Amino acid sequence: MTAVHSHSAEAAASPAALHFPPGFVWGSATAAYQIEGAAAEDGRTPSIWDTFSHTPGRVLNGDTGDIAADHYHRYQDDVALMSDLGLGAYRFSISWSRVQPTGRGPAVQRGLDFYRRLVDELLAKGITPVATLYHWDLPQELEDAGGWTVRQTPERFAEYAEIVAGALGDRVPYWTTLNEPWCSAFLGYGSGVHAPGRTEPESALKAAHHLNLAHGRAIGALRSVLPATAQTSITLNLHQVRAFSQSAADLDAARRIDAVGNRVFLGPILGDGYPADLLADTGHLVDWDALVRPGDLEEIARPIDLLGVNYYTPTLVSDGRESTDLPRNDGHGASDYSPWPGSEHVAFHLSPGETTAMNWAVDASALYDLLMRVHHEHPDLPMMVTENGAAYDDYVSPEGTVSDPRRIAYLRGHLSAVHRALADGADIRGYFLWSLLDNFEWSYGYSKRFGAVYVDFGTQRRVPKQSAHWYAEVARTNALRGLSEEADGS
Ligand code: FCB
């Protein structure tokens, strides 16, 4: 890592410009169901998110992704926007239900054609495509056959991965198997705040293993098709878990949440298997010996080239065994059912500091800690920050502009933290702002705006926010300027 100035007197003395390494990738991210719309076009059939959002009471205001940001029809304009902003890369996901409407069998070419056109458009504008195969939208037919709780789904996923890589592999250099399998497993099958909305601790743990297996098999499928230069990865929403106090009970709470929030994926994917403490904490809920079959761990541990890290806010926990009204502020939405199987007694507290519109605490130092933790445990594993950003209650002024200084401050602080991790030796290859556009924020519907670009969902008009212009300047110069010391994620 050259050209990374350290968090030192020297960096502070030069009027606060932090330079990123040459070739650092600057991008923005989206996901298919959150922006595409065109839910029933060109052969697409419902995914679990279509079913879930059309079920009364599941999503705020009854919002659905039927139209979303209408990106399916406006992708050329959206790519032009990225190009105007000078963003070098675009992380998007592919809708499995467009490619294989029933989750199996031959591909629907019209569905694949959309992604062929999108990739061509990106390449024509010099923007690097970064494809995610699965961002939570399982074809409904596969859920009806058991979803992520059954071993057939990883098999289907590997077939799907091979189809997509066959169609786009010559033009897409970065491939991610799954986005945030923690959410798919534990919010989808545990707390039920995400599709398919099941509330079964055993199923959540089974889903976690089958998602791991799906990842490993997909890596095998991708490798059989992709050119050797292609980079493969998985994106995890790692939790930076902090204990409320240094008491043995609070430290144990933090250990447990680290196990079922992080190490349930990091362990097997990076070759260390399932952690013994996780198996002990959850052994009364699922029969791990029956779940993990011979050969599974080898498949799951197939080498990856990069780890994608998504980070928004830290996780502050204590032991809640004595608590009569257990605080459950884990940032993952309200439910009577816990997304933390085996650790239902853990209390979750809002971390100190100001909050975003999601009621998530802003704390850039936790991003630094997280990146350094992965770096220390796996020094040779390159990382990308594949999502980071904040929702605020943005609006268009009478002059037609969107002023979002708090988002700029959030991004500035977190980019400083990334820079500090680089300076301290972490191998971080890029950063993707969540999100390019305001979009369908899952169970919050359209009520939370994460975009660098404002979307008027009535007219589909796009208005780049002030933060979009600010971020464009960072990307253009490969540097962060105008810093004050306290913004430095420390
Ligand atoms: C992440 C998801 C992404 C978006 C952000 C705010 O968990 O991957 O789709 O909802 O949170």
Side-chain angles (χ1 to χ4, degrees), residues 34 135-136 179-180 310 312 387 434 441-442 450:
Q34 295 182 275
H135 198 124
W136 305 352
N179 176 73
E180 302 191 352
N310 290 355
Y312 291 91
E387 283 182 30
W434 183 271
E441 179 47 38
W442 310 113
F450 274 93

Side-chain angles (χ1 to χ4, degrees), residues 17-63:
L18 300 178
H19 295 272
F20 284 75
F24 192 81
V25 177
W26 296 100
S28 67
T30 63
Y33 191 70
Q34 295 182 275
I35 63 163
E36 284 180 1
E41 266 176 66
D42 293 332
R44 186 185 180 281
T45 56
S47 73
I48 54 175
W49 267 98
D50 296 84
T51 308
F52 191 76
S53 66
H54 280 271
T55 306
R58 292 301 205 175
V59 173
L60 198 67
N61 300 322
D63 289 343

Side-chain angles (χ1 to χ4, degrees), residues 149-370:
T149 70
V150 298
R151 287 179 75 88
Q152 286 75 17
T153 303
E155 259 171 65
R156 298 286 86 77
F157 185 67
E159 292 163 7
Y160 158 69
E162 189 170 331
I163 289 173
V164 179
L168 306 175
D170 56 335
R171 283 160 297 162
V172 174
Y174 292 100
W175 291 82
T176 303
T177 54
L178 305 173
N179 176 73
E180 302 191 352
W182 187 88
C183 296
S184 299
F186 297 102
L187 302 181
Y189 295 83
S191 68
V193 300
H194 279 188
R198 290 165 65 175
T199 51
E200 306 149 11
E202 179 182 13
S203 297
L205 292 162
K206 285 184 172 172
H209 177 60
H210 294 143
L211 283 152
N212 276 330
L213 193 56
H215 157 76
R217 291 195 175 164
I219 291 289
L222 290 174
R223 275 286 156 234
S224 72
V225 178
L226 294 177
T229 50
Q231 306 265 300
T232 61
S233 65
I234 183 168
T235 279
L236 302 177
N237 56 313
L238 296 177
H239 298 80
Q240 181 57 28
V241 186
R242 291 170 169 166
F244 201 84
S245 81
Q246 295 303 301
S247 74
D250 287 358
L251 290 173
D252 188 63
R255 174 199 63 70
R256 285 167 164 274
I257 298 310
D258 184 51
V260 71
N262 299 326
R263 289 182 283 119
V264 60
F265 300 108
L266 287 174
I269 289 168
L270 298 177
D272 299 325
Y274 285 104
D277 60 335
L278 172 76
L279 304 186
D281 294 344
T282 57
H284 60 294
L285 295 171
V286 74
D287 182 351
W288 283 99
D289 289 336
L291 181 60
V292 183
R293 303 216 182 139
D296 284 3
L297 291 176
E298 288 71 21
E299 287 199 86
I300 297 170
R302 285 206 172 95
I304 52 175
D305 301 300
L306 282 167
L307 180 69
V309 176
N310 290 355
Y311 169 81
Y312 291 91
T313 190
T315 304
L316 182 60
V317 301
S318 67
D319 182 277
R321 280 190 184 91
E322 308 283 297
S323 166
T324 45
D325 188 16
L326 194 70
R328 299 267 303 275
N329 206 327
D330 64 8
H332 292 301
S335 167
D336 291 341
Y337 300 87
S338 169
W340 306 100
S343 293
E344 294 83 358
H345 66 275
V346 171
F348 290 81
H349 308 268
L350 186 62
S351 296
E354 65 167 286
T355 52
T356 68
M358 296 294 284
N359 200 31
W360 291 348
V362 177
D363 185 343
S365 72
L367 174 57
Y368 170 83
D369 293 344
L370 192 54

